[in-house]
């Protein structure tokens, strides 16, 4: 499993893209997607919702369990991935591409996000 070097990662297994005009993309890692199993339902934050770093902002349901979705940053949601709502299996098949979850206008980014190498060591993958 290869974690893209340009992303940053949370210890809750979410990834965060670099901000573009203050907006970052959030998803879950391949490690988390594999641990969840086949994702069958995604409850994502809505446009206009305020998310807080480290707090629950949605959930993913798989054939194995239900898992809370945590925001790696604080800010306002500007887009939710409707493709994932319509086809939650994208989280498993393309966690770093089409399986992204939401975009957020970042107001605060915690200092404890991990690099790809740090996350790989943390996840043991």
């Amino acid at each position: 499993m290869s974690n893209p070097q340009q992303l940053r990662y949370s210890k809750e297994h979410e990834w965060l893209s670099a901000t573009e005009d203050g907006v970052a993309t959030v998803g879950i890692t391949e490690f988390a997607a594999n641990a969840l199993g086949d994702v069958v339902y995604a409850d994502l934050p809505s446009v206009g919702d305020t998310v807080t770093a480290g707090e629950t902002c949605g959930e993913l349901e798989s054939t194995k369990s239900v898992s809370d979705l945590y925001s790696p940053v604080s800010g306002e949601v500007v887009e939710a991935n409707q493709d994932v709502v319509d086809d939650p299996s994208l989280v498993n098949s393309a966690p770093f591409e089409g399986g992204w979850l939401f975009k957020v206008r970042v107001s605060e980014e915690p200092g404890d996000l991990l690099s790809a190498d740090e996350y790989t060591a943390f996840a043991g993958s």
Side-chain angles (χ1 to χ4, degrees):
M1 174 178 1
S2 178
N3 296 303
Q5 291 292 319
Q6 75 275 17
L7 302 177
R8 284 162 296 161
Y9 301 85
S10 74
K11 290 185 176 179
E12 287 80 26
H13 306 287
E14 280 82 24
W15 58 261
L16 177 76
S17 71
T19 59
E20 184 174 317
D21 295 332
V23 175
T25 303
V26 175
I28 68 165
T29 64
E30 185 176 3
F31 175 86
N34 289 339
L36 271 173
D38 295 332
V39 177
V40 296
Y41 176 75
D43 179 24
L44 304 179
S46 299
V47 171
D49 285 356
T50 299
V51 294
T52 303
E55 293 190 7
T56 304
C57 63
E59 66 182 27
L60 297 173
E61 182 178 327
S62 72
T63 55
K64 291 181 181 179
S65 67
V66 175
S67 179
D68 286 333
L69 173 64
Y70 296 90
S71 181
V73 294
S74 298
E76 181 182 346
V77 175
V78 297
E79 185 179 352
N81 189 347
Q82 188 61 44
D83 291 342
V84 165
V85 172
D86 295 341
D87 182 6
S89 70
L90 287 171
V91 171
N92 298 105
S93 64
F96 297 114
E97 295 89 26
W100 61 272
L101 301 176
F102 63 94
K103 294 184 179 185
V104 59
R105 182 168 309 285
V106 178
S107 62
E108 183 180 341
E109 185 175 311
D112 62 352
L113 293 176
L114 307 172
S115 69
D117 292 339
E118 290 168 333
Y119 178 75
T120 298
F122 167 77
S125 53

